[in-house]
Amino acid sequence: MTLQTTCSETKPSSNNTLMLTVNGVAEMLACSPRSVYRLVDAGRIPKPVKLGGMIRWPRSQIERWITEGCPKPKAGRF
């Protein structure tokens, strides 16, 4: 599976985006942004980082989570 995403606000080239929006994470998971928030609420996906009023996920964290088979994060792991 090839991981591709872009932040809709910045439109960077290829896979060099370090921080992903909810839309970027949803695209990687082939689901809706609402489903991403449901996964966060259920504790099934790494928690996002809040940057001022923005919510972002580190790309490396999401890629590692996918590579590991999408395990439920343990407290303090991510």
Side-chain angles (χ1 to χ4, degrees), residues 17-77:
T17 305
L18 296 177
M19 300 297 283
L20 301 169
T21 64
V22 67
N23 291 333
V25 174
E27 187 176 320
M28 288 179 77
L29 301 177
C31 67
S32 70
R34 180 67 191 125
S35 294
V36 173
Y37 287 124
R38 286 183 185 128
L39 289 169
V40 170
D41 291 343
R44 303 278 312 156
I45 191 171
K47 290 183 180 183
V49 176
K50 293 183 181 179
L51 303 169
M54 301 180 300
I55 296 175
R56 299 291 187 267
W57 284 262
R59 171 184 282 284
S60 60
Q61 215 174 52
I62 297 300
E63 288 176 343
R64 183 176 65 223
W65 178 73
I66 291 170
T67 301
E68 292 175 357
C70 304
K72 184 174 180 179
K74 296 177 180 134
R77 180 165 179 211

